[in-house]
Amino acid sequence: MGRGKLRIYLGAAPGVGKTYAMLSEAHRRIERGTDCVVGFVEHHSRPRTEVMLHGLELIERRKIEYRGSTFTEMDVDAILSRRPAVALVDELAHTNVPGSRNSKRWQDVEELLQAGIDVVSTVNIQHLESLGDVVETITGVRQRETVPDEVARRADQIELVDMSPQALRRRMAHGNVYKPDKVDAALSNYFRPGNLTALRELALLWVADRVDEYLQEYRGEHNIRSTWQARERIVVGLTGGPEGRTLIRRAARLAEKGAGGEVLAVYIAASDGLTSASPKELAVQRTLVEDLGGTFHHVIGDSVPDALLEFARGCNATQIVLGVSRRRSWQSVFSPGVSATVARESGPDLDVHIVTHDEAAKGRRRLPVARGARLGRSRIIWGWLTGIAGPALLAVLLNLAVPDLGLANDMLLFLTCTVAAALLGGLLPALASAAFGSLLLNYFFTPPLHEFTISDPKNIVAIAIFVGVAVSVASVVDLAARRTHQAARLRAESEILSFLAGSVLRGENSLDALLERLRETFAMQSVALLERTSEVDPWTTAASVGTSPVGRPEDADVDLPIGDNMALALTGRVLPAEDRRVLGAFAAQAAVVLDRQRLVDEAEKSRALAEGNRIRTALLAAVSHDLRTPLAGIKASVTSLRSADVEWSEEDKAELLEGIEDGADRLAALIGNLLDMSRLNTGTVVPLIRETDLDEVVPMALGGVPEDSVDLDISETLPMIAVDRGLLERAVANIVENAVKYSPDGQRVHVSASALGNRVELRVVDRGPGVPDEAKDRIFEPFQRHGDAPRGAGVGLGLAVARGFTEAIGGTLTAEDTPGGGLTMVITLPMAGSAPPVTADLPTSAVT
């Protein structure tokens, strides 16, 4: 019996309708006469899902006792005994209760498949093992139940159950996913619009990759070599010349015109390892391709057109971009060139774009090719000794020990010396050995002896054959030795270039580590990356490693220009020309890393400037907004006391004085916090981040609202948070005052808190008119008010101040819809211990 087929309904999040789609599929199969049973389906008390179970045969679950409780799991034995054609098994990533047949449900499904039973199952994208870390970063929740990616990839069919985040949140708000008492917490935590959007993108990308795998497998199984234009893949043929940048940008523009376009840049190198390409230019083009979202490939082939077409068809490309030939016009007489050959042989399934450029018809600039092998001085000396002293010593030994050995045997022995000289010292010592050995053979072993003449013509032929064989053997041996040396060198270079490419893909930004690797690779004393702003300015050191780095390129043993105003300077020894290819790759990578570091620094400075502007805005808003209320109270009390028209009792005077004192206290506290915030921009003081309990801060912020207007639900068991208490108190006060202002009469504002991951969330929920999605960001801008304030108070600065204070202490403030109507303000605060505490040396004048 063959293996059963697995069909998976994949969703981005709970509630998108995976189980409903699976049950609908079961009803369709039953209508077609298929024997289908429900092995395990969890409807989670969702009415519509529960209705879909009607009319389906349910296999009774197995009951398992564990730690005094009874649990139910899928009964694999019962399904195997029933042997249906199709079994429905929900929640593929589920972990079974200890004592079950298998620890994971996907292992149960594997048994059913092995028994020849088709299985229809469901799984969410967050339960795939490879995406666990990504999902935790997005949602803050670590998925404990996972399924190996290979299990899902082996599925015969995968169908994506898709739903927009807005539609899913509406479904939840209507009570179609969770019970009403859980809807608010779910919408504010895991089911946020940003979380759902990111999870949906993960699901779409994963399924797209799987579809691409199916397509490649199908094409391979059916030996399909023609291109199927299901997706725009554009191959760019590079020669290593400067025109490559134009071709890459042109291909990127073509890819942007089609959805999902992909750019693959490929450089074809000759199979003998020799290349005319500029390593520096190739490194620049690799960086350009990756910056534009493409990939760079290095392919070896004897025929450039054939290798390019083979690569394009292998990756199912739809277009090829090539440049106009750089060869002279007269060279086309001998061969049509790569561009013309590819265009002629591409066939109807590949579109070939021939792009003009500035280098057209200017000729190819080739790099010199090294002919000799670097054998080292000692090997060359031993080669010459073997080639010259070896035949002389051999001639003496043969004359003294075995003078009648025969001319043929003598020649073989001399030929051995020639081969040994070729192995040790290369071609020149071997040629010298052949010439010297022929003279010794003529003088000592060819009649007439001890004369440089040959009387027998046969001996002349023998000597000539000896010289020819010796030269041929020496040439072959020397060529093999040079090829071996080149192969070893290319292998070492490929490892180094692979390291550089890997560092780019990994996003490594340590310039010192890269320069240290360069110094170790070439065994140099020091390496320095120098730069200058213009040709007349002095050189400055951007980075350096090693001892005594130089400050100018002309002082270095090896210098390599990088662009117009940057250079790499090395000291220690002079490098041969063939080492400059790898050195160029290091130089290009060093320039890229330096640029990346500076971009990161600039982004950090921009963030700091934006932070300062935001704090100044919040400061000015707070001065005009929050000082008004206590000043008005103080002014009214003082005016009343000074009024001569009213005779105030002692109790009235005490109450008015108490109001003045309370207003003054509020002003003192507010001014202290504002002074701290003003110093944030100048660097005089930083927020005093300390560990504290949220239930100690929030009640202090409710002094400005009526006591019966707020329901406070802050648990004492919440983790401690790391904040500035004064700034947080002012932020919460502004948010609560705003919520009370917009709440209908008789409706209380609900303030609650919960822990999520490594942060704590404070939620201020009102039942007011709410705010549309397009206005949720605008309400945090200064002097912005949405609609009309019911009681006419405020000028639209409270939320701007609150956001400025919240972000200053490392938190965030966002607005969400309240299920059933209203607005929910969410303050996210860092949990104590999730980040290193801020320890600043504060001046004695700092106000805390």
Side-chain angles (χ1 to χ4, degrees):
M1 180 178 295
R3 176 183 172 87
K5 295 184 179 298
L6 175 61
R7 179 186 181 96
I8 293 178
Y9 284 94
L10 177 69
V16 296
K18 302 180 302 300
T19 305
Y20 190 93
M22 179 181 67
L23 294 175
S24 299
E25 173 70 17
H27 282 287
R28 289 192 295 269
R29 295 199 182 199
I30 290 176
E31 291 175 358
R32 295 194 298 265
T34 304
D35 183 15
C36 184
V37 301
V38 176
F40 186 96
V41 168
E42 187 62 66
H43 54 73
H44 298 287
S45 300
R46 297 167 187 169
R48 297 186 178 182
T49 305
E50 192 172 1
V51 169
M52 292 297 295
L53 288 171
H54 296 168
L56 300 178
E57 179 184 350
L58 276 66
I59 301 296
E60 186 177 354
R61 300 183 184 182
R62 179 186 176 191
K63 297 181 179 179
I64 301 176
E65 296 288 339
Y66 180 68
R67 292 185 177 179
S69 301
T70 302
F71 300 89
T72 60
E73 293 288 359
M74 182 175 68
D75 195 336
V76 180
D77 293 328
I79 299 176
L80 293 175
S81 300
R82 170 67 173 75
R83 298 198 64 81
V86 179
L88 307 184
V89 181
D90 204 3
E91 299 180 356
L92 185 62
H94 172 73
T95 300
N96 294 329
V97 175
S100 301
R101 184 187 185 97
N102 296 298
S103 60
K104 291 286 188 177
R105 182 163 294 162
W106 65 263
Q107 296 171 331
D108 296 337
V109 170
E110 187 67 23
E111 285 197 37
L112 300 180
L113 295 173
Q114 292 292 341
I117 300 174
D118 293 346
V119 176
V120 182
S121 187
T122 64
V123 71
N124 284 326
I125 192 67
Q126 64 265 28
H127 293 298
L128 295 179
E129 181 67 40
S130 64
L131 300 178
D133 295 339
V134 178
V135 173
E136 183 180 10
T137 302
I138 296 171
T139 65
V141 178
R142 180 66 179 180
Q143 297 295 332
R144 302 301 178 187
E145 295 186 332
T146 59
V147 60
D149 286 49
E150 184 61 26
V151 174
R153 289 184 180 276
R154 285 202 307 264
D156 299 276
Q157 297 180 55
I158 297 178
E159 182 171 337
L160 178 65
V161 183
D162 191 25
M163 178 175 289
S164 68
Q166 293 78 10
L168 179 56
R169 285 173 60 85
R170 284 196 300 270
R171 174 183 287 186
M172 295 190 65
H174 294 157
N176 295 332
V177 179
Y178 292 141
K179 294 181 179 180
D181 58 339
K182 296 183 179 180
V183 171
D184 191 13
L187 288 175
S188 61
N189 294 316
Y190 191 87
F191 290 87
R192 297 177 180 177
N195 292 357
L196 296 178
T197 302
L199 293 174
R200 186 189 188 198
E201 184 177 7
L202 280 178
L204 291 171
L205 291 175
W206 193 90
V207 173
D209 289 341
R210 185 61 181 132
V211 171
D212 198 44
E213 291 177 10
Y214 278 133
L215 181 59
Q216 296 296 341
E217 291 176 4
Y218 182 85
R219 287 168 51 84
E221 292 172 358
H222 293 78
N223 196 25
I224 298 174
R225 304 300 298 166
S226 61
T227 299
W228 287 3
Q229 299 183 359
R231 180 180 181 182
E232 288 294 338
R233 285 189 175 88
I234 303 174
V235 171
V236 186
L238 302 178
T239 64
E243 78 281 359
R245 306 182 197 181
T246 302
L247 304 183
I248 292 170
R249 294 189 179 97
R250 176 61 173 164
R253 291 195 296 270
L254 289 173
E256 290 175 356
K257 295 180 180 179
E262 182 179 358
V263 176
L264 300 90
V266 57
Y267 171 70
I268 310 294
S271 59
D272 59 2
L274 303 178
T275 177
S276 62
S278 167
K280 175 183 176 181
E281 185 63 33
L282 281 180
V284 172
Q285 293 174 15
R286 176 193 291 271
T287 302
L288 177 60
V289 169
E290 293 171 351
D291 289 343
L292 294 175
T295 57
F296 186 92
H297 304 268
H298 196 119
V299 177
I300 296 177
D302 294 323
S303 172
V304 173
D306 293 343
L308 183 60
L309 288 171
E310 183 70 19
F311 176 84
R313 293 193 173 100
C315 65
N316 198 27
T318 58
Q319 302 179 54
I320 297 178
V321 175
L322 297 172
V324 174
S325 177
R326 288 187 292 163
R327 303 189 310 161
R328 305 290 185 183
S329 57
W330 59 267
Q331 292 178 302
S332 301
V333 177
F334 300 98
S335 64
V338 174
S339 301
T341 303
V342 171
R344 185 182 66 248
E345 299 180 0
S346 61
D349 54 345
L350 274 173
D351 296 335
V352 180
H353 302 265
I354 308 297
V355 180
T356 58
H357 52 82
D358 295 337
E359 300 296 321
K362 290 185 178 181
R364 297 177 63 89
R365 294 183 290 273
R366 295 185 176 273
L367 297 177
V369 179
R371 294 295 183 183
R374 294 170 58 191
L375 300 177
R377 179 176 298 179
S378 60
R379 285 193 59 180
I380 294 176
I381 293 176
W382 277 105
W384 281 103
L385 288 176
T386 303
I388 301 301
L393 182 61
L394 182 60
V396 173
L397 292 176
L398 289 176
N399 274 296
L400 295 178
V402 281
D404 299 327
L405 189 60
L407 182 60
N409 294 326
D410 294 336
M411 287 183 176
L412 290 176
L413 293 175
F414 276 90
L415 184 61
T416 303
C417 291
T418 301
V419 173
L423 289 173
L424 291 174
L427 183 61
L428 291 180
L431 294 178
S433 177
F436 186 50
S438 63
L439 293 177
L440 293 177
L441 285 172
N442 182 15
Y443 188 81
F444 289 105
F445 303 102
T446 304
L449 302 177
H450 307 298
E451 295 181 9
F452 289 104
T453 58
I454 303 175
S455 59
D456 190 352
K458 296 180 180 179
N459 293 335
I460 296 177
V461 175
I463 293 295
I465 292 174
F466 166 77
V467 174
V469 171
V471 171
S472 301
V473 171
S475 300
V476 171
V477 171
D478 176 69
L479 180 61
R482 286 192 289 122
R483 288 290 183 264
T484 301
H485 172 77
Q486 290 174 355
R489 177 179 179 80
L490 289 174
R491 182 173 63 252
E493 290 182 2
S494 66
E495 292 177 355
I496 295 173
L497 295 177
S498 175
F499 161 78
L500 292 177
S503 65
V504 172
L505 296 177
R506 292 188 297 269
E508 296 179 357
N509 295 325
S510 176
L511 184 57
D512 290 340
L514 179 65
L515 296 182
E516 182 62 26
R517 177 63 183 265
L518 170 60
R519 189 186 68 83
E520 294 176 354
T521 299
F522 294 102
M524 303 301 288
Q525 182 180 355
S526 68
V527 178
L529 183 61
L530 308 176
E531 62 175 347
R532 58 184 179 182
T533 56
S534 65
E535 295 183 357
V536 298
D537 293 327
W539 291 95
T540 59
T541 302
S544 63
V545 295
T547 57
S548 303
V550 297
R552 300 186 305 169
E554 50 267 30
D555 297 335
D557 295 319
V558 179
D559 70 282
L560 185 68
I562 310 174
D564 296 331
N565 299 313
M566 189 176 293
L568 200 63
L570 298 85
T571 60
R573 63 188 180 93
V574 178
L575 295 179
E578 55 264 31
D579 282 343
R580 297 183 72 88
R581 179 172 61 176
V582 178
L583 185 60
F586 270 106
Q589 175 66 4
V592 170
V593 171
L594 180 60
D595 289 341
R596 187 180 297 150
Q597 285 183 350
R598 288 177 174 172
L599 288 175
V600 172
D601 294 340
E602 289 296 328
E604 184 64 23
K605 292 179 181 178
S606 299
R607 189 199 63 78
L609 291 175
E611 182 80 4
N613 290 333
R614 181 188 53 75
I615 292 175
R616 282 195 297 270
T617 301
L619 174 62
L620 294 175
V623 168
S624 63
H625 179 266
D626 293 296
L627 291 179
R628 180 179 300 173
T629 300
L631 282 175
I634 294 173
K635 175 68 174 177
S637 299
V638 171
T639 302
S640 298
L641 289 173
R642 296 186 61 187
S643 176
D645 299 335
V646 180
E647 184 69 26
W648 299 102
S649 64
E650 293 300 326
E651 290 80 4
D652 293 336
K653 291 180 180 180
E655 184 176 351
L656 290 174
L657 290 173
E658 183 180 357
I660 295 174
E661 184 179 7
D662 291 342
D665 290 340
R666 292 181 61 187
L667 283 176
L670 178 58
I671 291 173
N673 288 329
L674 292 178
L675 288 176
D676 276 345
M677 177 160 278
S678 67
R679 294 191 180 98
L680 289 172
N681 194 35
T682 61
T684 307
V685 68
V686 297
L688 299 179
I689 306 298
R690 294 290 184 267
E691 294 185 1
T692 187
D693 288 317
L694 192 61
D695 61 336
E696 297 178 358
V697 179
V698 176
M700 301 296 296
L702 306 182
V705 297
E707 295 182 359
D708 58 347
S709 61
V710 178
D711 286 333
L712 188 60
D713 183 16
I714 307 292
S715 174
E716 296 181 356
T717 61
L718 284 174
M720 299 185 72
I721 54 176
V723 296
D724 184 303
R725 295 188 56 169
L727 298 182
L728 177 60
E729 180 181 335
R730 290 304 310 150
V732 174
N734 285 346
I735 295 172
V736 172
E737 290 172 6
N738 185 79
V740 171
K741 178 175 63 178
Y742 281 92
S743 292
D745 293 335
Q747 291 282 349
R748 293 190 176 188
V749 173
H750 183 71
V751 180
S752 62
S754 61
L756 180 64
N758 61 348
R759 56 191 187 271
V760 174
E761 287 189 348
L762 180 68
R763 310 182 66 80
V764 181
V765 182
D766 67 60
R767 294 292 179 178
V771 177
D773 291 340
E774 61 271 13
K776 283 187 172 63
D777 288 332
R778 193 167 62 248
I779 61 176
F780 292 104
E781 298 176 3
F783 303 102
Q784 295 292 326
R785 297 173 60 199
H786 180 71
D788 296 326
R791 286 176 281 279
V795 291
L797 290 174
L799 294 182
V801 173
R803 172 170 276 190
F805 285 171
T806 303
E807 294 182 356
I809 59 177
T812 60
L813 174 60
T814 56
E816 298 179 356
D817 291 330
T818 301
L823 190 66
T824 299
M825 292 292 176
V826 183
I827 300 180
T828 303
L829 301 169
M831 190 181 298
S834 60
V838 176
T839 56
D841 295 331
L842 301 177
T844 56
S845 61
V847 179
T848 61

